[in-house]
Amino acid sequence: MSAVNRGVFNLQKKKIDPYWKKQLVLQHARVFAKTTARNRYRLAVRFVRQACLTETEGRKWKREEIDQLRLTRLNAALQEHDMELPLFLTGLRKADVRLEKRMLVYMAIYEPRTFEQLVELAQRTQIEGIWGNHVVLPERCFSKVLN
């Protein structure tokens, strides 16, 4: 493995001249590269470590925000069809429709007719699940329940 793939601070395997080690850290913290302060390396190390931690936390926050945005959009799309999210998801699951929330949001925005059909399918699956055992359907009736 090359030194590039290893982290900024994990340089034990390959001996690096201290000058180049400092230059590598200063390269990541360009703010301190041209400063003439005596402790610029120490400040740069702190700055780079904090930046790495913030970047890691930022990825986590971004995922959470995207998930929350997807749920908000999906709830808004389902409110147009008078349906709630848990009922919709269980209806699709019972109908063996395996779509991620990301694809459902995409379909709600860009393919509203297809999304409307999915909502109808979820509603029918819920109704058939409730009444499937109690109501005798005619022979030529289209239904997911097979006798």
Side-chain angles (χ1 to χ4, degrees):
M1 259 192 186
S2 65
V4 176
N5 289 339
R6 286 184 256 135
V8 177
F9 302 105
N10 189 12
L11 301 171
Q12 291 90 10
K13 291 187 179 181
K14 188 175 181 182
K15 290 290 184 180
I16 293 182
D17 188 12
Y19 172 79
W20 294 112
K21 183 179 175 185
K22 289 180 182 178
Q23 292 304 315
L24 184 63
V25 172
L26 291 173
Q27 180 182 359
H28 287 284
R30 292 187 192 100
V31 177
F32 301 103
K34 301 203 173 154
T35 310
T36 57
R38 294 182 72 182
N39 61 348
R40 71 180 182 150
Y41 177 69
R42 189 176 353 158
L43 292 173
V45 167
R46 268 196 232 149
F47 179 79
V48 171
R49 281 189 179 154
Q50 186 60 38
C52 290
L53 289 173
T54 306
E55 183 181 5
T56 305
E57 291 174 2
R59 279 191 233 113
K60 179 183 168 188
W61 293 335
K62 182 179 178 184
R63 260 185 252 119
E64 290 174 359
E65 286 181 8
I66 288 175
D67 288 343
Q68 189 176 12
L69 180 65
R70 284 182 186 147
L71 286 176
T72 306
R73 286 180 176 173
L74 200 52
N75 277 325
L78 287 171
Q79 280 179 357
E80 292 180 6
H81 300 290
D82 297 326
M83 185 106 179
E84 295 179 11
L85 183 64
L87 293 175
F88 177 67
L89 293 178
T90 55
L92 288 182
R93 200 175 305 123
K94 287 180 183 177
D96 287 333
V97 176
R98 296 182 182 138
L99 289 174
E100 297 177 351
K101 290 178 185 176
R102 177 181 55 144
M103 285 306 299
L104 291 172
V105 169
Y106 176 84
M107 292 173 79
I109 294 172
Y110 297 108
E111 299 177 13
R113 290 183 183 169
T114 309
F115 186 74
E116 184 180 352
Q117 295 299 318
L118 284 175
V119 171
E120 287 181 18
L121 176 67
Q123 289 173 344
R124 285 185 187 174
T125 308
Q126 290 288 336
I127 292 170
E128 289 176 0
I130 294 171
W131 296 106
N133 299 329
H134 304 292
V135 176
V136 179
L137 297 173
E139 287 184 24
R140 303 186 77 187
C141 179
F142 176 74
S143 174
K144 283 187 62 69
V145 178
L146 299 175
N147 294 333

